[in-house]
Amino acid sequence: MIRYNKMRIKMVNSQLRSRGISDERVLKAMGKIPRHIFVDEGLQDQAYADNPLPIGDRQTISQPYIVALMTEALELKGTEKILEIGTGSGYQAAILAELADRVFSIERIASLADRARKILESLNYYNVLTRVGDGTYGWREESPFDAIIVTAGAPEVPRILLEQLAIGGRLVVPAGDRYSQTLMKIIRLSESLEDTEITDLGGCRFVNLIGNHGWKG
Ligand code: SAH
């Protein structure tokens, strides 16, 4: 355990701070949450390395820097209601649970969602609600959300998610082709879905967002 604590502090300093992540709340959450618990036992020693890792079903837990970059872009203060598409390991959901009020997270693969739910419960994150399904529809009953994060690569910015974003809310989504995407931050400025402020956060590579408003299979 002490060994993992050390690896985590090193991760925060050498991978996050040094590359410009400056939101102290984000750095604190990433320094606190035991990332190794979210991967298989055989991979725990690699959990704090500077890369994504497999989590089964051909899916991955994102690189720590990407988690930090996306989370920082959501500009969380602690009061927000958040939607995550792609629960995966549950690690990103745990970070969000630390930094916001309530987290709603959707995963299309039931076995991953079950595993993530158990880990989140074991770490006492009771403010995360997970559901199995196609997240490209969003979670309309719970909308509007103050922030929406998509952790799988979309062919384009999903319009439905923009509709479920509060005015002033932030949507962070990787959009592009199947093999490489641009990480986009979109702030909704008014009732009109055309009235947005878009920032390009750089290139990235995510697993595909598969669903009705994503890639087909
Ligand atoms: N946030 C995750 C990263 C998971 S990788 C973590 O912290 O570990 C992306 C995940 O998105 C995969 O588990 C994949 O199954 C899921 N996914 C892909 N398309 C989806 C969709 N339409 N709805 C919900 N989940 C989806």
Side-chain angles (χ1 to χ4, degrees):
M1 271 326 232
I2 294 174
R3 194 162 59 94
Y4 288 127
N5 290 348
K6 277 194 179 155
M7 289 166 95
R8 197 152 59 239
I9 291 164
K10 194 165 167 230
M11 171 191 86
V12 168
N13 290 324
S14 68
Q15 298 174 35
L16 311 183
R17 268 187 210 283
S18 64
R19 290 189 190 133
I21 303 296
S22 61
D23 182 329
E24 286 300 329
R25 294 181 73 241
V26 173
L27 294 165
K28 195 172 167 205
M30 295 202 53
K32 175 181 169 186
I33 294 170
R35 181 171 160 97
H36 61 281
I37 303 284
F38 293 85
V39 301
D40 282 344
E41 230 163 296
L43 289 175
Q44 290 195 339
D45 280 352
Q46 296 174 56
Y48 299 97
D50 194 13
N51 46 257
L53 288 172
I55 54 172
D57 289 284
R58 291 181 296 130
Q59 306 304 321
T60 54
I61 176 173
S62 303
Q63 178 192 10
Y65 174 69
I66 292 291
V67 173
L69 183 67
M70 293 176 89
T71 308
E72 184 168 67
L74 297 177
E75 299 175 32
L76 305 176
K77 301 282 177 272
T79 56
E80 298 82 1
K81 184 175 183 183
I82 304 190
L83 175 65
E84 178 190 29
I85 315 298
T87 317
S89 68
Y91 176 67
Q92 173 76 70
I95 301 281
L96 298 172
E98 271 295 321
L99 297 173
D101 182 34
R102 276 187 297 161
V103 181
F104 295 84
S105 185
I106 311 175
E107 170 57 53
R108 62 181 281 273
I109 301 175
S111 56
L112 289 177
D114 286 345
R115 193 172 159 282
R117 190 179 293 133
K118 285 186 187 123
I119 296 172
L120 289 164
E121 275 174 18
S122 75
L123 293 172
N124 297 332
Y125 287 111
Y126 298 115
N127 58 341
V128 183
L129 191 59
T130 56
R131 140 169 149 183
V132 177
D134 178 1
T136 65
Y137 290 104
W139 194 322
R140 194 169 297 280
E141 312 86 276
E142 292 295 343
S143 68
F145 297 97
D146 302 302
I148 301 179
I149 178 171
V150 182
T151 65
E156 59 193 7
V157 175
R159 207 178 157 81
I160 295 196
L161 299 184
L162 212 48
E163 283 169 14
Q164 296 182 23
L165 193 62
I167 293 165
R170 286 78 59 200
L171 165 63
V172 174
V173 51
D177 64 33
R178 280 185 184 264
Y179 307 100
S180 74
Q181 304 88 29
T182 302
L183 198 53
M184 319 244 280
K185 171 180 177 177
I186 298 144
I187 305 180
R188 181 174 181 179
L189 299 173
S190 76
E191 202 57 57
S192 161
L193 295 186
E194 316 317 322
D195 191 11
T196 55
E197 181 188 303
I198 303 176
T199 314
D200 174 341
L201 300 177
C204 56
R205 187 191 175 114
F206 279 80
V207 298
N208 292 167
L209 179 74
I210 297 170
N212 197 48
H213 300 283
W215 297 100
K216 307 284 184 268

